[in-house]
Amino acid sequence: MTPVRPTFTVGTRLSADPINAAPQIARVLVNDPHIVLRHEPFGAPDQLTRERLQVEPLRPRRESGKTIVFVTHSVEEAVYLSARIPVMNARPGRIIVDRGVVLPGDDEAGVRAITVTATPEFQALEIELATAIQAVHV
């Protein structure tokens, strides 16, 4: 049996303009990668635009079951977008927390409504992760 080589597609920062973000996502997905890696993809200038952009990448996950790896420095964004959150320390780069995320209202693909951010479960996980990060950076 021939081993399957994973395919990685590294994307660039998504446009702050939702009209330009969709073609960028399409360019990544046209190659049918197994794993999509996005580093700080939501550098939108304001919170409302950022929240709108966060919904777009969840559609391919829901429709195709693709693994999408987001690298972010926002704990709230990580909790909102993730099914699993590994937290790394700075030096040496090691995983200090590896937490699965299941929140009220998740569908089968783990896609969630923005209203989940107001739930006690969301806020408790956000505090847990922020506390772990602060503990290693003090």
Side-chain angles (χ1 to χ4, degrees), residues 29 34-38 56-62 64-70 81-82:
L29 295 176
H34 297 288
I35 299 172
V36 178
L37 174 62
R38 304 293 300 193
E56 274 306 307
L58 298 178
R59 287 186 189 152
R61 183 172 76 185
R62 182 185 315 142
S64 68
K66 299 271 182 223
T67 297
I68 303 174
V69 178
F70 290 105
L81 292 172
S82 301

Side-chain angles (χ1 to χ4, degrees), residues 75-76 78-79 84-88 96-103 119-137:
V75 174
E76 179 182 23
V79 174
R84 178 177 164 215
I85 304 173
V87 176
M88 295 182 71
I96 56 169
V97 174
D98 190 356
R99 182 76 154 66
V101 180
V102 178
L103 294 169
T119 64
E121 295 88 347
F122 184 97
Q123 293 169 358
L125 182 54
E126 194 175 9
I127 290 168
E128 174 189 330
L129 295 171
T131 302
I133 291 167
Q134 289 175 354
V136 296
H137 292 287

